[in-house]
Amino acid sequence: SIGSSAFYNCNSLQSVDIPDSVTIIGAHAFSQCYNLQSVQLGKGVVTIDTCAFRDCNSLTEIIFPDGLKEILYDAFAGCVALTELSIPDSVIKIETNAFQYCASLTNVWLGNGLTSLEQIFWNCHSLYSINIPENVKSVARTEFFHCNALYNNPDYYQNGMLVIDGWLIAVDTDVEYLTNIKNIKNVLEDAYAG
């Protein structure tokens, strides 16, 4: 494993190639490596620990290996240069705030291993496209809080309602005909856009 805070605030790092023998990237391992632009994760990585890449604000891309199991709290929070993510089916847990404040994140694909979304992407202002996998049974009320670009996507936002893959995420008007809508899996408590 790569130990906790192993490369914390190491601003000379611009790229990292993690070997296949590494299974765990420890807490804060690369946190605040402000010039880190690219990371190649080895095939053996199963856990990305708390704040592992937090505030790596030059990181533009990361490709997750197929065997990855979990991405923990705040792991990529504040990675403001990330634009796209593809989460493999092997991932069964993404903890709260894992990708919060990723201000340039536009497109996200989530794999079928996830069963809940617990405030992973809040304050991702540029998020325009995301899927909610079929196996997901719960979505946090604040999951897409301040993800304003979702409201610009006509596939999601119509008639005053933000609906993603059958999940009613938010309503911004007093929509009297909600009871007539088919195919809505969940009406989230207090799910109002403003």
Side-chain angles (χ1 to χ4, degrees):
S1 67
I2 296 177
S4 297
S5 302
F7 297 94
Y8 176 81
N9 200 26
C10 185
N11 288 317
S12 61
L13 273 182
Q14 294 186 0
S15 65
V16 172
D17 190 350
I18 295 172
D20 293 345
S21 58
V22 171
T23 58
I24 299 171
I25 299 175
H28 297 275
F30 296 95
S31 183
Q32 297 183 16
C33 291
Y34 296 122
N35 295 310
L36 182 62
Q37 298 174 24
S38 66
V39 175
Q40 180 68 48
L41 295 175
K43 295 176 183 177
V45 173
V46 295
T47 298
I48 300 174
D49 209 341
T50 300
C51 299
F53 294 93
R54 182 182 172 89
D55 295 327
C56 291
N57 54 21
S58 297
L59 185 63
T60 58
E61 181 184 33
I62 187 156
I63 298 174
F64 298 110
D66 286 337
L68 183 66
K69 297 294 184 187
E70 53 186 5
I71 301 170
L72 301 187
Y73 176 82
D74 253 17
F76 293 91
C79 291
V80 296
L82 276 177
T83 58
E84 294 188 353
L85 290 175
S86 182
I87 305 295
D89 290 342
S90 60
V91 174
I92 58 174
K93 176 167 58 170
I94 303 178
E95 287 190 347
T96 303
N97 300 345
F99 295 97
Q100 70 164 330
Y101 294 107
C102 291
S104 300
L105 189 60
T106 305
N107 300 305
V108 173
W109 177 260
L110 298 175
N112 287 320
L114 295 170
T115 58
S116 65
L117 303 181
E118 303 297 337
Q119 197 175 293
I120 300 165
F121 295 104
W122 73 314
N123 284 299
C124 292
H125 305 290
S126 300
L127 184 61
Y128 182 80
S129 175
I130 189 169
N131 68 305
I132 298 179
E134 289 184 6
N135 292 335
V136 167
K137 305 302 181 191
S138 66
V139 177
R141 181 170 59 91
T142 53
E143 179 58 55
F144 299 109
F145 187 66
H146 287 172
C147 294
N148 301 329
L150 290 172
Y151 294 87
N152 297 325
N153 188 330
D155 291 335
Y156 303 152
Y157 185 67
Q158 296 180 22
N159 302 317
M161 294 178 293
L162 183 66
V163 180
I164 302 175
D165 290 334
W167 288 83
L168 177 62
I169 303 302
V171 294
D172 62 4
T173 57
D174 184 14
V175 183
E176 295 179 2
Y177 53 86
L178 277 175
T179 54
N180 297 324
I181 296 172
K182 306 296 184 188
N183 239 358
I184 291 197
K185 296 179 183 177
N186 190 29
V187 178
L188 299 178
E189 181 183 2
D190 297 328
Y192 292 92

